[in-house]
Amino acid sequence: GTGTYQTLANLPAVLLYHQTVSYNGYLFLSGGSSDGSNPLSTVYSSKIQADGTIGSWISLTSLPVATRSHGMTAANGYLFVAGGCNSACAAYFSTVYSAKINSDGSIGSWNTLSALPALITDAAVTSYNGYVYVIGGFSGGAAISTTYAAQILGNGTIGAWATLNNFANLRYVGSAVASNGYLFYIGGH
């Protein structure tokens, strides 16, 4: 089982529709909205302590564009942010960004990478074995079942997006993880 849950360092703002990942002893949080409509470009990190607590949240290099309902993963020393939408999700994004993760939990500047093949919000994003995966989401006003993958290159960029097998059901607002050669999609609509 798990131990007792504890309240840790508060976020710098009330947030929803944001993304959080962990990498190399740090938590990273990006985008989202503090009012449920207007997106944010803020990015934060917090050091994970040996006792399971976290340090203060530190403001990092902001995303190039305010976004919410996006996906984020960390791999090979980089943060990757994909898709998302603007205020009230009136417009979806296909943009993919990466930023180098420094050893102190800070990040470098954001680079614009190969765009997704479609405008997507609420997709599950994960990474595994040198690839970024974008699974499901909402595109063109409807849920989709498409899975895209792009190879992570050594300089934090990615190769071309490939369309992989669709899964059986249309899904969005779920999460994804990968382990032992398998992709897992969890929950969602």
Side-chain angles (χ1 to χ4, degrees):
T2 62
T4 305
Y5 286 97
Q6 299 177 39
T7 300
L8 304 178
N10 288 335
L11 293 172
V14 173
L15 291 172
L16 63 156
Y17 307 123
H18 59 281
Q19 289 296 313
T20 308
V21 297
S22 65
Y23 190 83
N24 203 28
Y26 287 88
L27 291 176
F28 295 91
L29 184 148
S30 70
S33 174
S34 59
D35 63 7
S37 181
N38 296 304
L40 302 169
S41 61
T42 50
V43 180
Y44 302 101
S45 73
S46 178
K47 184 167 181 51
I48 302 169
Q49 308 297 333
D51 64 0
T53 60
I54 60 173
S56 299
W57 290 96
I58 307 299
S59 293
L60 304 178
T61 307
S62 293
L63 290 165
V65 117
T67 188
R68 57 169 264 202
S69 304
H70 56 294
M72 183 168 72
T73 190
N76 297 16
Y78 290 86
L79 285 178
F80 296 90
V81 170
C85 62
N86 67 359
S87 64
C89 280
Y92 300 163
F93 302 139
S94 62
T95 315
V96 180
Y97 301 106
S98 74
K100 182 169 179 43
I101 300 171
N102 300 316
S103 62
D104 64 357
S106 64
I107 59 172
S109 59
W110 290 96
N111 296 302
T112 303
L113 307 180
S114 301
L116 289 163
L119 300 168
I120 299 174
T121 188
D122 293 316
V125 176
T126 192
S127 51
Y128 181 72
N129 204 23
Y131 285 83
V132 172
Y133 294 90
V134 176
I135 306 166
F138 214 74
S139 183
I144 59 173
S145 62
T146 310
T147 299
Y148 299 108
Q151 185 176 18
I152 301 169
L153 305 176
N155 60 358
T157 61
I158 55 174
W161 289 98
T163 302
L164 306 180
N165 292 334
N166 290 351
F167 48 96
N169 300 311
L170 304 173
R171 288 279 185 247
Y172 64 102
V173 194
S175 60
V177 295
S179 181
N180 295 326
Y182 292 93
L183 284 174
F184 298 90
Y185 185 94
I186 301 139
H189 291 285

